[in-house]
Amino acid sequence: MEPEKTIKIAVTGAYGFIGSHVSEILSRSGYDVVRIGKEQFQESLKEAIANCDAIVHLAGMNRGPEQSVYETNIDLAKKLIAAIGTRKPHIIFSSSTQQRLDNPYGRSKQAAADLLKQWATQNGGSCTTLIIPNVFGDRCKPFYNSVVATFCHQLLNGETPTILEDKEIELVHVNTVAFHILRLLQQPPKTGEETIIGEKKIRVSKLLQTLQQFMELRKKQVIPDITDPFVRNLYTTLDSYATGSDRVHNPELKTDNRGWLFEAIKMEHAGQIFLSVTKPGVTRGQHFHFGKLEKFCVIQGEAIIRLEHPDTKEIIEYRVTGPSCVDIPVFHPHNIENVGQIDLLTLFWSSDIFDPTNPDTHPKTVGK
């Protein structure tokens, strides 16, 4: 159920990597989101969070001089508590799996979590601390806090990534974090810890290898198999770092006296889509496939699509006008003829990417 528009949520660090995603998803879900950036946090935090029902505290520092990192994260929690005063909004605090490690960043996150929990206990409020693993996704700053962002940036800029430590890391996509926060806000507030389980544990070397494979497929204008949600999220992250001409692909346009054709989309897991124009009176096809499944989708014009049964030799005709789609079964010789007065525009889907060394296309004229 969509929440009432009057529910007001403050998000600190709202213009950062995680904060921008959280703010957008909460806003799209019907909440009145108060976005608090660094300047507003320092100068007008009390006014900004006034009348807020909940505060998602994402502001923090995770890179820089160790003492500065440690002091900053604790100071942010103290300032937030002071700005809240006697009110009792539900606080959702973004911590990290580093909280359990003995380093300045981890200790600062633990100390901040303790302060916020203490505030909740003493004032009858509630604070949920989220323990979050390594977050990745679009718009994350390279060379800052995500090896995924750094690798994606380097690969798309022709640079050679370097592995400093080939350890196993636990990764979670930024949208997973944002939607977890959304679900927390839809539930009764509580004080305690919640751990967001990562979507994948992977060695840094394997991560880089996967991204490099994406790049090789990208050069061939092939979309990798993205049926696995983690792989999909990793690929969309890489794609988000493409800029300018990297976003433009110019497939080869094949022309002859019949019209033209080009391969529009190739998918490692789902074949390819190509588009053709066939001139009036022209017939395409006259072949069959052993294992390749196809769909002919007439978008514009009038066509007859013919199938010949491999055993009975019966010829089945489908007279179609756009938009209309016809399934082409295996072993059935088939063709498509433009019987209209204008160019025939057809979208074809094939279950396999065309391989010139093994095309699985066998000549056979329908009816002969």
Side-chain angles (χ1 to χ4, degrees):
M1 179 182 296
E2 184 176 316
E4 296 293 335
K5 298 292 185 181
T6 53
I7 298 179
K8 183 179 287 190
I9 311 295
V11 178
T12 70
Y15 300 102
F17 167 47
I18 299 176
S20 60
H21 289 78
V22 170
S23 297
E24 183 66 20
I25 286 173
L26 294 185
S27 179
R28 295 283 180 175
S29 300
Y31 291 96
D32 181 5
V33 177
V34 179
R35 293 171 170 85
I36 300 173
K38 183 176 181 180
E39 187 174 306
Q40 193 174 21
F41 195 103
Q42 298 297 332
E43 298 178 1
S44 56
L45 180 59
K46 185 174 182 178
E47 294 78 8
I49 64 175
N51 302 316
C52 286
D53 300 283
I55 300 169
V56 181
H57 182 39
L58 302 172
M61 183 179 184
N62 57 14
R63 286 291 183 274
E66 290 187 349
Q67 190 63 25
S68 180
V69 169
Y70 179 77
E71 292 175 355
T72 295
N73 290 318
I74 296 174
D75 187 55
L76 289 171
K78 289 179 177 178
K79 286 182 177 178
L80 180 60
I81 291 169
I84 292 172
T86 59
R87 290 174 293 106
K88 301 176 183 179
H90 178 205
I91 296 178
I92 297 175
F93 172 53
S94 168
S95 189
S96 163
T97 50
Q98 295 273 329
Q99 178 178 314
R100 298 161 180 156
L101 302 179
D102 186 21
N103 59 51
Y105 176 67
R107 291 196 299 273
S108 73
K109 282 294 188 179
Q110 182 64 67
D114 290 343
L115 286 170
L116 292 167
K117 182 179 179 181
Q118 184 181 47
W119 164 84
T121 301
Q122 293 176 349
N123 294 275
S126 58
C127 176
T128 304
T129 298
L130 284 181
I131 309 298
I132 306 173
N134 298 278
V135 185
F136 73 100
D138 62 292
R139 290 173 279 161
C140 186
K141 186 189 300 184
F143 307 104
Y144 185 62
N145 60 355
S146 169
V147 66
V148 176
T150 301
F151 283 170
C152 289
H153 171 83
Q154 290 176 314
L155 290 171
L156 280 163
N157 284 278
E159 302 171 11
T160 302
T162 300
I163 298 174
L164 300 178
E165 183 181 358
D166 189 18
K167 61 181 180 180
E168 185 179 74
I169 55 176
E170 185 177 7
L171 293 173
V172 63
H173 190 256
V174 63
N175 285 350
T176 301
V177 176
F179 281 110
H180 192 105
I181 290 172
L182 172 62
R183 286 192 295 273
L184 282 177
L185 291 169
Q186 293 170 336
Q187 300 169 2
K190 61 181 180 180
T191 294
E193 283 187 0
E194 282 202 16
T195 299
I196 296 181
I197 305 300
E199 293 149 350
K200 186 77 171 181
K201 290 184 178 179
I202 187 171
R203 297 197 72 82
V204 175
S205 56
K206 178 62 176 177
L207 170 66
L208 177 57
Q209 181 185 37
T210 302
L211 291 170
Q212 289 171 329
Q213 290 169 348
F214 288 169
M215 287 297 296
E216 289 303 310
L217 290 171
R218 188 179 178 85
K219 292 175 185 176
K220 301 174 185 176
Q221 299 180 19
V222 176
I223 299 170
D225 184 347
I226 54 175
T227 51
D228 179 271
F230 171 75
V231 176
R232 180 201 63 206
N233 289 336
L234 192 60
Y235 181 71
T236 59
T237 300
L238 174 70
D239 183 73
S240 74
Y241 287 88
T243 59
S245 60
D246 287 334
R247 293 192 176 279
V248 180
H249 303 289
N250 300 109
E252 179 187 359
L253 185 67
K254 301 174 182 178
T255 61
D256 56 26
N257 58 2
R258 298 174 298 172
W260 54 258
L261 177 148
F262 72 88
E263 299 172 330
I265 301 172
K266 301 176 190 176
M267 298 163 285
E268 191 179 41
H269 65 295
Q272 71 180 90
I273 295 171
F274 50 99
L275 191 70
S276 82
V277 159
T278 305
K279 296 178 180 179
V282 170
T283 300
R284 288 185 181 273
Q286 307 292 33
H287 56 242
F288 69 94
H289 311 289
F290 289 154
K292 187 186 298 183
L293 183 65
E294 290 183 315
K295 285 183 180 287
F296 288 8
C297 302
V298 172
I299 298 172
Q300 171 188 285
E302 185 176 2
I304 293 178
I305 298 172
R306 300 181 182 91
L307 302 175
E308 180 182 330
H309 194 280
D311 298 326
T312 66
K313 308 305 178 184
E314 176 189 5
I315 296 174
I316 305 170
E317 292 190 351
Y318 300 94
R319 193 178 189 100
V320 296
T321 56
S324 187
C325 297
V326 177
D327 294 338
I328 309 299
V330 296
F331 277 96
H332 284 62
H334 52 271
N335 64 32
I336 179 170
E337 179 185 359
N338 183 353
V339 294
Q341 301 300 310
I342 62 173
D343 285 349
L344 178 68
L345 182 61
T346 311
L347 187 74
F348 300 91
W349 171 77
S350 169
S351 60
D352 301 332
I353 296 176
F354 180 75
D355 179 0
T357 65
N358 183 27
D360 188 16
T361 300
H362 310 281
K364 171 67 168 70
T365 300
V366 175
K368 294 184 180 181

